[in-house]
Amino acid sequence: MDDESPSSLTDISLAWLCHNVEVLCVEQENGSLQLRHCPLFAQELADQLLHTMAQEGVLNDRTVGIFQNLEHLRLRRAHIQSSHLSAEAFRLALCPHKLQELNASHIHSDLTISDILHSITSSKVCRQGLQTLLMNGLRLYGEAGEDSVHASFNTLRGLKKLSLAWTDLEDRGLEDICTMPMLESLDISGTNITDLTPLLNCESRLRSLTMHGLQKLVMPTSSLIFVLSKLQLLRHLDISNDKLVMDGDNLVQQLLERPGILPHLVSLDVSGWRGVSDATVQAFVEVRPGMRFIGLLATGAGGSELLCGDGHLKVAGESNLTQLCEALRRYSDRESFIREVLTHLYSHTNSMDGPQPNILKLVLAGMQHHTDSLHVQLVATACVFNLTVQELVLGISLHLAGTVVQQLLTAMKNFPNHEQLQKNCLLTLCSDHILQVVPFDRYEAAKLIMMLLGNHGDQTVQRMAVAIVSILVSKLSTEEISELGAEAFIMKQLLSIVQQKASLGVVDSTLKFALSALWNLTDETPTACRHFIQCQGLELYMELLESYYAEFSIQQKLLGLLNNVAEVEELRMELMDEDLVEHILSLLINPEVEVDVRYFAGGILAHLTSVRGPAWGLDDELHCTVQEKLHSSILSWSSPEHAMVSYRTLQPFYPLLHISQCSGVQMWALWAIQLVCSQNAPQYCSMLQTEGGTDVLRVLSTHPDTHSDVKCLVENILKILERNLHPASPVEDFQ
């Protein structure tokens, strides 16, 4: 499937089953679960269910119990990597099955290699049928050491493929392994093995040998070459070095120059051994026309035409982009190699002609494998920026772009104090397309970025973070804004930035974005409005209203937030300050002030003079003046051409339209409703009708005490409603 294809019905169903497994099961006496009603699963589907449970992180001692039902859930390929299973749960649930493959790599528990071997060998059907066994990253023994469990590899008589990479396997274990009669493929990368001589016992059957990063090997180079020369059936050999060092003993050179060695080789990896020449590699490849892959990363070789990697011979190296992509594909789980590849890739991504989604996927795979590696994340995030900058992001699928965002947020979370990494991530996120269109969890992103903002005083980081949060908050639902507004630290953080900018008297994008974020954060969110008051936000805003009197764009954002506060009845008394009210009144009646600013000034005054909520607590004369000026000023307003405001609901306006309200209060609410209905009739006319707003309007229109100016505005709105909800037919128009 491509990135834009929907998930298959099977995948959707299995994911749902994984996350509802507790509900669908009953608990057994031993604490494990069993499905209440279990249909007969096809064997491949049972395998897929187990794998999905492991991937989704829900496979544990309780949930694995469902696979004790051998009649309905028959397993052949058990992929349980990175799950949480004890030895007992593993033995009871999985070993009774006729397993052919088992991937138990990187289990997050005390389950050891010896535990797994003991459990497998105790089950005849499992022991006889198992052909593939992967146990990478596990310990050989438990706390009690070699005395804990006695089990041997050579009891697995049918095993063909064994992987024990990055385990504590030692020479004695290798000796045991090499007595297995059917073994064809062996991975002992990163183990404690010092001597490979036991491999001579496998010379008649071993076809694949991977021993990447075998740092404890002490046997002489000549002896190692001798052992390898005897493995005549080898088709794949990996002797790459994760330390990326000079080949002081000329191991690679001697291997490549030895006549007739490994005649059937199809794949050879010598990456990480510096000092290899193109000529030597080319001569080796030319006499083996069946070669399909060679790993030359960090060797110095790979520059010749034969080794470019464009033909049937794939090459992992750094000489060109093709080699780098092959290296990313092959080495996603090898940190030192990925670091090397990304460093070289970065220079290539500086000048990409068009979108490169395939390269981007490879970079993301490296990031996902090494989330705790600062070096990988640092270089990878720089590459991601280059691959998504400006119009390049438009050329990748939304699904892939969403994966990019999630990976960047993971990197930011894992390295909160690294300034350059934060910059790299924020630079990529500063994209209208990403912030407005790409699907990702905007609530969690906004919360994370605000948390990280307190760790950095860098102005560039601050500017980008505040801009991103401002846009993210504007895209959240009312419920999400309420949850975000409940986080007092976010309010404090944003107010601190505003205070910092105000103390310098500057008007820049950081100040504007911070004010916008605060405005959006308090929209229909009483909790956030309370935090604003508790964090001395009102005092700060009163100062800003004075100091930025001539900056209408700043005034609008200040008054927009105060209007949100004024909508909360219990907080209106906080705004009952004579200087504040008089300042707002001066903005309302000033014809030089833009209507955007006057609108929010009117909104604050309308709520403060409303008969709903606390009584007017200031001078009576000021009260009369506000009511009078509200009415007269609104009569002079003309609708702006641009979309000045948008609302999720019109509910806050309806209490202001009650017949007991003064005409100025009613007119402000009506002017606002008329504005949005005229600019976006389909949305707001429907909203008015479904919320019962039309009934409120009709009551106001027919009441004898309603002011004529108010009735005029009501009639205008009802006409807009009529035109939108009951459009005339073409015949009616003709008549």
Side-chain angles (χ1 to χ4, degrees):
M1 295 189 303
D2 59 41
D3 290 329
E4 293 302 283
S5 297
S7 299
S8 69
L9 182 58
T10 300
D11 290 340
I12 294 171
S13 301
L14 291 178
W16 183 89
L17 179 56
C18 287
H19 294 290
N20 292 276
V21 65
E22 297 266 355
V23 179
L24 299 170
C25 290
V26 292
E27 186 172 345
Q28 304 300 295
E29 290 183 4
N30 62 1
S32 65
L33 300 180
Q34 183 177 2
L35 287 169
R36 286 191 177 88
H37 307 287
C38 185
L40 176 62
F41 277 63
Q43 176 259 308
E44 294 86 355
L45 197 59
D47 292 342
Q48 196 174 343
L49 173 60
L50 179 66
H51 191 192
T52 304
M53 289 174 68
Q55 285 182 317
E56 296 291 325
V58 298
L59 188 65
N60 53 47
D61 284 3
R62 278 170 55 77
T63 58
V64 78
I66 67 173
F67 293 98
Q68 293 186 39
N69 185 342
L70 301 183
E71 292 183 12
H72 296 90
L73 288 163
R74 298 189 298 272
L75 298 172
R76 292 294 179 270
R77 295 171 178 83
H79 290 249
I80 58 172
Q81 60 269 41
S82 303
S83 58
H84 297 260
L85 289 182
S86 66
E88 182 69 3
F90 171 79
R91 182 183 65 81
L92 291 174
L94 301 181
C95 291
H97 293 269
K98 296 178 181 179
L99 295 182
Q100 295 174 356
E101 295 180 13
L102 172 62
N103 185 347
S105 299
H106 307 291
I107 295 286
H108 300 304
S109 69
D110 294 330
L111 187 65
T112 66
I113 292 172
S114 294
D115 291 331
I116 293 174
L117 290 177
H118 181 72
S119 297
I120 292 173
T121 54
S122 66
S123 167
K124 183 179 179 181
V125 294
C126 190
R127 181 179 70 248
Q128 292 180 339
L130 196 64
Q131 297 179 21
T132 298
L133 178 58
L134 284 64
M135 298 185 287
N136 301 330
L138 301 188
R139 290 177 302 141
L140 194 56
Y141 303 107
E143 297 277 337
E146 297 184 26
D147 296 329
S148 54
V149 179
H150 294 283
S152 175
F153 286 99
N154 65 17
T155 57
L156 303 178
R157 312 300 288 177
L159 199 69
K160 294 182 178 181
K161 180 178 180 179
L162 176 63
S163 183
L164 297 166
W166 308 106
T167 67
D168 52 357
L169 181 71
E170 296 180 338
D171 293 346
R172 195 172 72 173
L174 181 62
E175 293 174 5
D176 181 25
I177 289 168
C178 291
T179 63
M180 297 166 67
M182 303 291 288
L183 187 66
E184 296 179 354
S185 175
L186 178 62
D187 187 345
I188 50 175
S189 301
T191 58
N192 297 329
I193 290 171
T194 65
D195 186 357
L196 294 174
T197 304
L199 290 174
L200 294 174
N201 293 325
C202 302
E203 63 177 290
S204 63
R205 55 188 179 276
L206 201 60
R207 286 170 167 74
S208 175
L209 176 61
T210 302
M211 47 184 196
H212 162 73
L214 216 55
Q215 298 299 331
K216 296 192 176 181
L217 207 60
V218 295
M219 63 190 302
T221 298
S222 58
S223 300
L224 175 56
I225 297 293
F226 173 77
V227 171
L228 294 177
S229 69
K230 292 297 183 180
L231 303 177
Q232 291 290 299
L233 296 181
L234 273 187
R235 295 175 61 80
H236 166 78
L237 175 62
D238 183 349
I239 58 171
S240 56
N241 191 330
D242 63 325
K243 299 301 182 184
L244 284 66
V245 295
M246 282 299 297
D247 186 6
D249 295 329
N250 294 319
L251 166 64
V252 176
Q253 198 80 6
Q254 291 185 48
L255 174 69
L256 296 176
E257 292 179 347
R258 180 148 181 161
I261 194 171
L262 305 174
H264 303 294
L265 211 58
V266 172
S267 166
L268 173 65
D269 201 330
V270 295
S271 291
W273 290 106
R274 301 192 188 278
V276 180
S277 69
D278 265 0
T280 305
V281 176
Q282 190 159 321
F284 182 85
V285 171
E286 284 175 342
V287 297
R288 292 167 181 79
M291 287 280 290
R292 290 295 177 264
F293 170 75
I294 188 162
L296 298 174
L297 180 69
T299 62
S304 69
E305 186 175 348
L306 177 66
L307 303 175
C308 68
D310 287 330
H312 67 269
L313 179 65
K314 301 303 178 186
V315 180
E318 71 266 12
S319 296
N320 56 50
L321 192 56
T322 301
Q323 290 184 6
L324 288 168
C325 289
E326 188 66 29
L328 282 172
R329 239 185 313 272
R330 299 265 179 173
Y331 302 141
S332 63
D333 60 343
R334 298 181 178 181
E335 181 187 349
S336 61
F337 284 6
I338 285 294
R339 287 197 331 240
E340 184 78 4
V341 175
L342 290 173
T343 301
H344 289 284
L345 179 68
Y346 177 72
S347 60
H348 286 271
T349 60
N350 275 321
S351 54
M352 290 293 182
D353 293 331
Q356 302 288 338
N358 291 331
I359 297 178
L360 186 57
K361 290 176 188 176
L362 293 172
V363 173
L364 292 176
M367 294 180 72
Q368 289 164 349
H369 272 94
H370 307 286
T371 55
D372 57 349
S373 169
L374 174 59
H375 194 119
V376 169
Q377 299 298 317
L378 186 59
V379 186
T381 52
C383 291
V384 167
F385 171 72
N386 284 344
L387 291 167
T388 57
V389 68
Q390 297 177 359
E391 69 278 358
L392 291 182
V393 73
L394 303 177
I396 65 176
S397 70
L398 292 178
H399 179 271
L400 179 57
T403 305
V404 167
V405 174
Q406 189 53 55
Q407 208 55 48
L408 293 176
L409 294 174
T410 299
M412 294 176 73
K413 184 177 181 179
N414 289 347
F415 300 98
N417 298 314
H418 197 281
E419 199 164 272
Q420 187 57 55
L421 183 139
Q422 298 290 323
K423 280 185 181 179
N424 292 351
C425 297
L426 292 171
L427 279 166
T428 302
L429 294 174
C430 275
S431 157
D432 277 342
H433 178 71
I434 287 177
L435 296 176
Q436 302 280 359
V437 181
V438 172
F440 63 96
D441 192 333
R442 287 170 169 77
Y443 168 78
E444 289 297 335
K447 187 175 177 180
L448 173 65
I449 293 172
M450 284 307 306
M451 288 177 63
L452 297 174
L453 188 55
N455 298 335
H456 304 281
D458 182 85
Q459 293 297 302
T460 303
V461 171
Q462 188 183 82
R463 181 178 69 252
M464 292 190 292
V466 172
I468 291 168
V469 168
S470 176
I471 295 172
L472 290 178
V473 172
S474 70
K475 302 290 289 184
L476 299 180
S477 67
T478 303
E479 293 75 18
E480 289 172 325
I481 289 178
S482 296
E483 289 183 36
L484 203 60
E487 304 286 352
F489 81 91
I490 296 179
M491 182 66 65
K492 292 177 182 177
Q493 195 80 266
L494 289 170
L495 287 174
S496 174
I497 293 170
V498 172
Q499 174 71 67
Q500 176 189 340
K501 293 296 180 181
S503 65
L504 300 174
V506 298
V507 178
D508 61 10
S509 60
T510 303
L511 175 63
K512 291 182 179 180
F513 278 122
L515 292 173
S516 294
L518 285 163
W519 183 5
N520 287 321
L521 197 61
T522 54
D523 185 27
E524 299 176 46
T525 313
T527 303
C529 291
R530 291 187 197 96
H531 287 323
F532 173 79
I533 298 295
Q534 293 163 2
C535 296
Q536 285 74 53
L538 182 57
E539 291 82 353
L540 174 61
Y541 270 45
M542 289 173 67
E543 294 176 12
L544 298 180
L545 284 169
E546 293 288 344
S547 55
Y548 289 100
Y549 186 82
E551 296 288 344
F552 291 148
S553 64
I554 302 296
Q555 293 277 323
Q556 180 192 22
K557 298 177 193 302
L558 297 172
L559 295 173
L561 183 145
L562 294 179
N563 188 71
N564 290 339
V565 175
E567 288 180 3
V568 184
E569 291 184 8
E570 64 189 79
L571 297 179
R572 287 176 190 165
M573 285 304 298
E574 302 289 345
L575 301 175
M576 292 288 188
D577 179 274
E578 192 165 326
D579 291 338
L580 175 61
V581 172
E582 287 182 347
H583 180 86
I584 295 173
L585 181 60
S586 70
L587 293 172
L588 173 72
I589 64 179
N590 186 348
E592 302 298 320
V593 174
E594 295 179 3
V595 70
D596 308 51
V597 176
R598 299 174 74 188
Y599 169 78
F600 289 110
I604 297 167
L605 296 175
H607 283 103
L608 292 183
T609 54
S610 168
V611 295
R612 298 279 294 268
W616 180 264
L618 301 176
D619 181 69
D620 288 342
E621 184 178 345
L622 180 60
H623 186 242
C624 293
T625 303
V626 168
Q627 292 180 324
E628 176 191 334
K629 296 301 182 183
L630 264 175
H631 189 127
S632 59
S633 296
I634 292 169
L635 283 175
S636 66
W637 291 357
S638 57
S639 298
E641 295 181 0
H642 60 280
M644 193 177 77
V645 289
S646 62
Y647 294 101
R648 295 182 176 88
T649 175
L650 297 176
Q651 293 287 355
F653 294 108
Y654 303 145
L656 303 180
L657 297 177
H658 194 270
I659 195 63
S660 61
Q661 301 282 12
C662 73
S663 61
V665 171
Q666 294 169 339
M667 289 186 66
W668 178 82
L670 290 168
W671 190 89
I673 294 172
Q674 178 183 258
L675 175 67
V676 294
C677 284
S678 61
Q679 292 183 337
N680 189 348
Q683 177 182 346
Y684 290 104
C685 289
S686 175
M687 189 182 293
L688 259 180
Q689 192 170 45
T690 56
E691 292 180 350
T694 51
D695 296 333
V696 176
L697 292 175
R698 289 193 175 93
V699 169
L700 196 58
S701 175
T702 57
H703 199 280
D705 294 337
T706 301
H707 194 284
S708 59
D709 292 334
V710 172
K711 285 188 176 183
C712 183
L713 282 173
V714 172
E715 292 303 319
N716 289 343
I717 297 170
L718 291 175
K719 287 177 183 177
I720 296 172
L721 278 168
E722 185 65 26
R723 286 198 303 269
N724 185 71
L725 299 176
H726 305 288
S729 68
V731 174
E732 290 171 337
D733 285 345
F734 178 77
Q735 292 173 339

